[in-house]
Amino acid sequence: MRKFLSLLLVISFVNVYSQSTVNMTGTVLDSLKKPIEVATVYLSKERDSTLVEYTMTDAKGNFKLAFNKVSEPAIFKISMVGYKDFTKKFDKGISEDIDLKTLILREYGNQLDEVVIVAEAPPIRIKKDTLEFNASSFKVRPDANLEELLKNLPGVQLDENKKITVNGKPVNEILVNGKPFFNEDGAVALENLPAEIIKKVQITDKKTKKEKFTGEKSRSDDASINITIDEDKNKGHFGRVSGGYGTEDHYESGLFLNTFNKRRKVSVIGSANNINAVGFSMDKVFDNMRTGRSRGGLTESRMFGLNFVEDVSDKLKVNGSYDYNFAETEQANKSSSTKFLPSGQFSTNSNSASLGGNEGHRGNLSVDYTGEKDAFYFSPNFSKDHTYSNSNSDQMSFDENGDKLNSSTSTNSSKSNSVSFGSSARYTRKLKQKGQFFSVEMNNSNQNSTNDALRESLTQFYQSDKADDWRRQYRQDNSTTDNYGISVEFTQPITDSLSISVGTEWSRRQSINDLQVFNYNEKEQGYTDLNVLETNRYTTIGNTVSPYVNFALNKNKYNINVTTNTQIVKNTATALYNEKWYNLDTRYVNPNVNAMFNYRLSKDNSLFAIYRYDVSYQSANQLLDITDISNPLSTTIGNPDLKPRGQHNANISYRSYNFQTRAGYSISGNVSMYDNSIVGSVIYDEDKKAISTYKNIQGNYQWGITGDWFKNSKWGEHALRYGIMLRYNQTVSNGYIDGATYTATGNTIGPRVYLTYDYGEWLSIKPSYNYNHNTTNYTNFSVDKASNFTHRFNIQTTSYWPKKVTFGNDFAYNFNSQIASGFKKDFYMWNISLAYDFYKDKFSAKVKVYDVLNQNTSSTRTIDPMQIVDSESLVLKRYAMFSITYKLNEFAGTKNKGNKGRMGGSRPMRAMSY
């Protein structure tokens, strides 16, 4: 009976929905009767311009607009850049299907640049390579931020880690009015930029500063988002200040203040907490609770940041920032590992505890000058860090019969300081011919660091007559790294679509590592005895000259970019060890290739492919024939016969999005193949002490494929966004172990299903499920296979009813199979928050509980080519907290007003020709 009633309810809902939905169809042509693709078709209410529905025409000019019946006067429009809008009014609303047949859009004349049109902007528009959304056409809650607005835009996706993709293309830059908003990754803008002041969201291919100035096509597969601010709101202040205190003396506080006008922006951020929230986050519902659970250990942190942007003139812009960070973390870990050898296997159990911290200062400045013919960019940066750590650990290894092999205990304390400075500068000059330009670029980075450490350890061996290894040492490590580079390039157009660039790059890198080790002298009660076997000094100097040629072919449908260069390298490695000098000079001539292909099959479909081949070089400690005995359980010896490693990388992706169905998918594949991979060759003695060196080996590679399908649906107040993602990856690793070669083939498959349901401004439900399966097959090992899988189910619900009340619920179940005995396989993670807005919504009071069931754990299983490691570490457990947040939103012409989701009102807009 219950099944029958449920079925009847579903049928009734479908009938009601189908009876209330009408369809408007037609075909859009130009004056020559040719179809117009990606014209925006939309319907809005005459009364307040509220958007009813929109779509875009396909390649044949056809459209289908599906929406609920409209009982009041409505305006139907078709908009396309370069054409006059088509407008039709329905005075009595629309209650039945309508076929508008063929509709003609008329082109503007040659004087389009001088025409000023007073009209409302369409919800979406494609202009050349830019996808543009009219923000006011997409309804969001009154106090929504940029993140919530982006989630409502077709083709835009944000995953649980707030990584953004547009039609499957990753977004790695968010700008506001063309400039960074604190950082280019946009994390601060996502959570703090109010939706109500946003005018447009523009999405383009990400370009370098040089590409923007010269007009070159992007050589990247990443996207960039630029947020434009309403001109009448482009002056004001907004921000939030919050503070909270909870059980077990947990606390948190956050500050974000921003003041801006058309030429200047100043932002201040700050936070302090002891709930594992390193960095800055001010999520309105869950605060830092999702961040805290992803970190092992218990962390107390503080940070402060200042950022400013100044448009000195239309040509000169200055951007600078300063950051202070402090974090102290308490760690406690236990692990159980099984290492596989051709002759058998052995296991190791270990425990460790530590308390360590880092305090850092960072600053940077960028100066941009962009004229008609010249562009200059200069950006210096600096950092200063102080770190400290105190730790102790113990471990015990057993053979297959359970007999002891070796054991070790150690205590360590250290402190270090480092200072670094870097800069980059570039000058670009446009020459007489269009597309002809010259550029020169210089960069440097310089770092100096010192580390002082006290170390005590005892290592014992049980299956041989080796003496116990007892060490009590003071270690002083000084290192310096200097890098310099300069490049010169000239670009000459050959035809309207083909250009060639020639240039050369020069670089010099030098690293010096000076380690002195002193043993404790019982008689003198101090660290006075120099340990010559562990004291060493390594110097590596590399000089590289790389002449190159670049070909760029840009067509309407596709563009191809190929760069080939020859690296002429001289590496010098020098070391002082055991009072003896070691020297080795190596010279190489290697090719490098970078090729990119981008093909737009249509406005909705694109294909991108890239291939790279490059070479990486050996370090001094890998090359020099020196024995490193600093680890009592592992001795390492360099190999002068090592060759550089070559790497082939190829990626291809196909993306499709249909604006009519609001559905899209992307498929991407990648492969990496390695020449002369540098691997460790390890031999174990009878106590399983490792003696290793470095060797080259062939045959290592990895490949993977990822597919993603997603769709948006909406009817009335109901909205659904859902999709499925599937990842598969295979890694083949060849190596040497215990005097023999081995092959480990790892396979990983991970489907993910996700859904978001929104009911108007009142309710949001987000369930998701992740499955991950790892299998590794071994050749020439004591075992043939190792595998495990994990499940993760998460459901996040947010309710905004009753008015002024926000309730958040975040529940997850995690399961890890085949984890070792003594480690927890599964746990539930449940976070809740309840907030109330008061005093004209300027204040918000919140109560939240982290880890309601007190089950948080960090049990993990890692499978790599030679071992399985099960581990568990100290994590943040249950706490409750009460907090108060003050919100400041004051803009020109408005004060604490929300975005009501209205259609953009009439405003003057200068028409543009493309």
Side-chain angles (χ1 to χ4, degrees):
M1 184 64 180
R2 290 182 178 177
K3 291 183 179 180
F4 174 76
L5 291 175
S6 299
L7 180 61
L8 184 62
L9 182 61
V10 171
I11 293 174
S12 301
F13 174 79
V14 172
N15 285 335
V16 170
Y17 173 65
S18 61
Q19 290 172 6
S20 63
T21 303
V22 296
N23 297 302
M24 183 180 290
T25 57
T27 302
V28 181
L29 306 177
D30 63 16
S31 58
L32 299 177
K33 304 299 176 65
K34 293 182 179 180
I36 299 177
E37 187 181 3
V38 298
T40 307
V41 180
Y42 60 103
L43 184 73
S44 59
K45 295 179 181 179
E46 184 184 32
R47 171 171 46 89
D48 57 4
S49 296
T50 299
L51 181 68
V52 176
E53 189 53 276
Y54 72 95
T55 188
M56 301 189 80
T57 57
D58 62 18
K60 297 181 179 180
N62 298 324
F63 68 87
K64 180 180 179 181
L65 201 63
F67 51 90
N68 291 340
K69 292 179 180 179
V70 179
S71 58
E72 59 181 283
I75 303 294
F76 171 81
K77 279 197 174 186
I78 304 174
S79 180
M80 181 67 181
V81 174
Y83 295 84
K84 296 179 181 179
D85 286 354
F86 175 89
T87 304
K88 184 177 178 61
K89 185 177 179 182
F90 294 88
D91 292 323
K92 297 181 179 180
I94 304 172
S95 58
E96 58 184 20
D97 293 349
I98 298 176
D99 184 0
L100 295 175
K101 306 295 184 183
T102 300
L103 304 173
I104 304 297
L105 290 190
R106 304 294 178 183
E107 295 89 343
Y108 280 108
N110 294 330
Q111 301 301 318
L112 178 61
D113 288 344
E114 303 303 322
V115 177
V116 175
I117 308 165
V118 178
E120 60 189 25
I124 184 171
R125 174 173 280 171
I126 295 178
K127 303 189 298 185
K128 280 192 173 180
D129 297 332
T130 301
L131 176 63
E132 183 178 272
F133 298 98
N134 178 27
S136 60
S137 297
F138 298 90
K139 190 176 182 180
V140 293
R141 294 183 301 101
D143 61 343
N145 56 17
L146 172 60
E147 178 182 351
E148 294 175 70
L149 173 62
L150 291 178
K151 290 177 181 178
N152 283 276
L153 303 183
V156 179
Q157 295 174 282
L158 280 81
D159 66 13
E160 56 189 359
N161 297 316
K162 298 188 179 182
K163 180 182 178 181
I164 307 172
T165 57
V166 178
N167 302 340
K169 180 178 287 192
V171 174
N172 289 315
E173 178 184 66
I174 295 181
L175 306 176
V176 179
N177 286 339
K179 298 179 283 290
F181 191 88
F182 227 96
N183 294 306
E184 289 187 353
D185 62 10
V188 175
L190 276 177
E191 294 183 353
N192 295 281
L193 191 65
E196 65 179 286
I197 69 172
I198 298 173
K199 180 180 180 181
K200 293 179 180 179
V201 178
Q202 299 167 330
I203 300 172
T204 61
D205 292 334
K206 183 180 179 181
K207 289 187 174 184
T208 64
K209 292 180 182 291
K210 177 187 167 188
E211 289 169 341
K212 291 177 182 177
F213 175 69
T214 60
E216 296 174 280
K217 289 284 187 178
S218 171
R219 303 181 189 182
S220 161
D221 192 34
D222 297 334
S224 172
I225 292 180
N226 180 50
I227 307 300
T228 67
I229 306 298
D230 254 330
E231 288 188 13
D232 60 346
K233 298 177 182 176
N234 200 13
K235 181 180 180 181
H237 320 277
F238 63 88
R240 287 190 293 165
V241 181
S242 66
Y245 186 78
T247 58
E248 305 295 328
D249 289 328
H250 287 302
Y251 71 91
E252 67 174 338
S253 61
L255 164 71
F256 173 76
L257 295 174
N258 187 86
T259 179
F260 64 103
N261 56 36
K262 291 182 179 180
R263 288 196 172 273
R264 181 182 298 114
K265 179 185 75 70
V266 179
S267 300
V268 176
I269 62 174
S271 70
N273 67 82
N274 61 357
I275 55 173
N276 286 17
V278 176
F280 180 79
S281 177
M282 293 191 76
D283 183 272
K284 293 182 180 180
V285 180
F286 297 104
D287 294 317
N288 294 298
M289 291 192 293
R290 294 178 65 85
T291 304
R293 76 178 181 204
S294 63
R295 296 181 57 86
L298 303 178
T299 300
E300 181 172 11
S301 64
R302 298 184 290 274
M303 69 86 60
F304 172 80
L306 173 67
N307 174 263
F308 75 92
V309 177
E310 177 79 24
D311 290 354
V312 180
S313 68
D314 293 339
K315 296 180 179 181
L316 181 62
K317 305 180 188 304
V318 180
N319 181 11
S321 66
Y322 164 77
D323 297 286
Y324 167 80
N325 289 274
F326 169 81
E328 184 177 77
T329 300
E330 178 187 359
Q331 290 274 15
N333 302 276
K334 70 173 183 177
S335 66
S336 175
S337 65
T338 301
K339 191 174 291 290
F340 304 118
L341 305 177
S343 57
Q345 61 188 52
F346 69 94
S347 60
T348 301
N349 297 325
S350 61
N351 297 277
S352 65
S354 66
L355 177 67
N358 172 270
E359 184 176 39
H361 303 264
R362 284 169 177 76
N364 65 76
L365 180 73
S366 68
V367 180
D368 276 287
Y369 173 83
T370 305
E372 293 183 5
K373 295 291 185 180
D374 303 273
F376 175 74
Y377 171 76
F378 176 63
S379 178
N381 63 81
F382 82 93
S383 66
K384 182 179 181 181
D385 289 276
H386 171 71
T387 62
Y388 59 91
S389 176
N390 295 283
S391 65
N392 58 78
S393 63
D394 63 81
Q395 71 175 55
M396 179 76 73
S397 296
F398 304 88
D399 62 19
E400 290 180 292
N401 299 319
D403 296 328
K404 293 181 181 179
L405 289 166
N406 59 64
S407 66
S408 70
T409 59
S410 67
T411 59
N412 297 274
S413 64
S414 66
K415 61 179 180 180
S416 65
N417 294 281
S418 68
V419 178
S420 67
F421 172 78
S423 69
S424 62
R426 182 180 57 253
Y427 171 74
T428 305
R429 169 75 176 181
K430 291 181 180 178
L431 303 177
K432 292 182 179 181
Q433 187 177 353
K434 182 180 180 181
Q436 185 186 56
F437 57 87
F438 167 82
S439 66
V440 58
E441 185 170 354
M442 296 177 287
N443 61 77
N444 73 283
S445 63
N446 310 90
Q447 182 181 46
N448 179 266
S449 62
T450 62
N451 179 270
D452 298 307
L454 294 175
R455 179 184 299 177
E456 294 186 17
S457 67
L458 173 62
T459 304
Q460 296 176 290
F461 305 96
Y462 299 99
Q463 298 192 10
S464 72
D465 57 0
K466 288 192 190 75
D468 293 345
D469 189 317
W470 166 249
R471 302 187 185 190
R472 192 176 180 186
Q473 298 175 332
Y474 166 64
R475 304 170 68 88
Q476 187 177 57
D477 194 352
N478 298 302
S479 64
T480 302
T481 303
D482 297 295
N483 294 288
Y484 301 92
I486 184 170
S487 64
V488 179
E489 181 180 277
F490 172 75
T491 298
Q492 173 66 48
I494 306 301
T495 67
D496 290 341
S497 57
L498 177 65
S499 64
I500 183 172
S501 301
V502 294
T504 187
E505 297 176 345
W506 172 86
S507 65
R508 175 184 172 85
R509 61 190 186 281
Q510 175 178 292
S511 64
I512 301 173
N513 193 80
D514 191 355
L515 172 66
Q516 290 185 303
V517 181
F518 298 89
N519 293 332
Y520 188 78
N521 187 305
E522 294 286 350
K523 183 178 180 180
E524 297 184 13
Q525 295 291 296
Y527 297 93
T528 57
D529 297 344
L530 181 68
N531 185 326
V532 295
L533 292 178
E534 293 190 51
T535 294
N536 56 66
R537 177 186 173 91
Y538 283 96
T539 301
T540 305
I541 301 174
N543 289 284
T544 304
V545 177
S546 301
Y548 66 87
V549 178
N550 171 265
F551 297 92
L553 179 64
N554 298 311
K555 295 289 188 179
N556 289 333
K557 284 284 188 179
Y558 64 88
N559 56 290
I560 301 172
N561 197 291
V562 179
T563 302
T564 63
N565 70 50
T566 302
Q567 287 190 345
I568 305 168
V569 181
K570 179 186 177 182
N571 279 341
T572 301
T574 305
L576 174 64
Y577 174 73
N578 197 13
E579 301 180 335
K580 178 181 177 182
W581 282 99
Y582 295 78
N583 295 279
L584 184 65
D585 284 338
T586 54
R587 289 174 171 83
Y588 307 100
V589 178
N590 291 306
N592 273 32
V593 179
N594 191 325
M596 183 273 290
F597 174 69
N598 191 4
Y599 181 52
R600 294 174 177 83
L601 290 81
S602 68
K603 295 291 186 181
D604 301 333
N605 302 277
S606 65
L607 179 70
F608 183 89
I610 191 167
Y611 166 78
R612 295 187 181 95
Y613 176 77
D614 55 31
V615 177
S616 57
Y617 299 94
Q618 319 89 313
S619 62
N621 64 311
Q622 291 176 326
L623 279 172
L624 295 174
D625 187 13
I626 294 175
T627 302
D628 182 355
I629 61 171
S630 59
N631 187 336
L633 288 174
S634 179
T635 298
T636 305
I637 306 169
N639 179 6
D641 296 324
L642 276 183
K643 299 176 182 178
R645 188 193 73 166
Q647 181 173 345
H648 303 265
N649 287 313
N651 294 270
I652 185 169
S653 59
Y654 177 81
R655 303 183 179 97
S656 177
Y657 186 79
N658 189 317
F659 283 97
Q660 291 189 329
T661 62
R662 314 279 170 85
Y665 64 89
S666 64
I667 301 174
S668 62
N670 67 84
V671 60
S672 297
M673 303 176 65
Y674 306 95
D675 297 327
N676 298 313
S677 295
I678 298 175
V679 299
S681 175
V682 186
I683 296 176
Y684 292 90
D685 63 16
E686 63 270 31
D687 297 301
K688 293 303 182 280
K689 176 180 178 179
I691 298 113
S692 64
T693 187
Y694 302 98
K695 289 186 178 181
N696 293 114
I697 200 167
Q698 298 287 75
N700 287 352
Y701 67 90
Q702 74 87 25
W703 68 276
I705 187 169
T706 300
D708 184 17
W709 176 88
F710 54 94
K711 182 177 173 60
N712 292 5
S713 299
K714 188 174 183 180
W715 63 99
E717 293 291 315
H718 307 274
L720 272 178
R721 298 187 295 273
Y722 49 96
I724 183 171
M725 178 183 289
L726 179 65
R727 302 184 310 275
Y728 174 77
N729 188 78
Q730 183 181 78
T731 302
V732 176
S733 301
N734 297 280
Y736 303 93
I737 187 168
D738 224 13
T741 59
Y742 73 86
T743 299
T745 303
N747 297 277
T748 301
I749 186 169
R752 177 176 183 258
V753 181
Y754 53 94
L755 179 147
T756 298
Y757 167 75
D758 292 319
Y759 178 70
E761 302 175 0
W762 311 109
L763 178 66
S764 179
I765 303 175
K766 302 176 183 179
S768 64
Y769 170 73
N770 294 267
Y771 175 79
N772 199 71
H773 190 277
N774 299 284
T775 301
T776 302
N777 298 296
Y778 298 96
T779 301
N780 202 17
F781 266 74
S782 56
V783 295
D784 296 326
K785 182 194 296 185
S787 66
N788 83 306
F789 61 86
T790 60
H791 295 283
R792 175 177 167 79
F793 172 76
N794 178 257
I795 182 167
Q796 187 181 114
T797 61
T798 307
S799 168
Y800 301 95
W801 184 89
K803 191 176 181 180
K804 297 182 179 295
V805 174
T806 303
F807 176 68
N809 185 83
D810 183 16
F811 180 84
Y813 171 72
N814 297 267
F815 176 83
N816 192 343
S817 74
Q818 299 182 3
I819 203 163
S821 176
F823 296 89
K824 191 172 176 59
K825 286 189 175 183
D826 65 343
F827 70 97
Y828 296 94
M829 187 66 186
W830 186 15
N831 301 324
I832 60 174
S833 73
L834 180 66
Y836 176 72
D837 295 335
F838 61 98
Y839 192 67
K840 300 179 181 180
D841 295 341
K842 290 184 178 181
F843 287 88
S844 179
K846 181 186 295 183
V847 176
K848 63 182 181 182
V849 181
Y850 174 84
D851 189 17
V852 175
L853 302 178
N854 205 32
Q855 288 196 9
N856 190 23
T857 187
S858 65
S859 297
T860 60
R861 164 164 284 207
T862 304
I863 301 175
D864 66 28
M866 290 187 293
Q867 64 182 350
I868 296 176
V869 180
D870 296 311
S871 62
E872 189 172 276
S873 62
L874 176 70
V875 294
L876 184 66
K877 303 292 281 187
R878 179 173 57 197
Y879 68 83
M881 185 174 292
F882 174 77
S883 64
I884 291 286
T885 299
Y886 171 72
K887 294 172 284 188
L888 170 68
N889 281 5
E890 294 183 1
F891 314 110
T894 183
K895 198 177 217 182
N896 288 306
K897 294 180 181 179
N899 183 347
K900 300 301 182 182
R902 56 179 173 79
M903 186 72 177
S906 298
R907 59 171 65 97
M909 176 177 63
R910 185 171 296 276
M912 304 177 70
S913 59
Y914 292 89

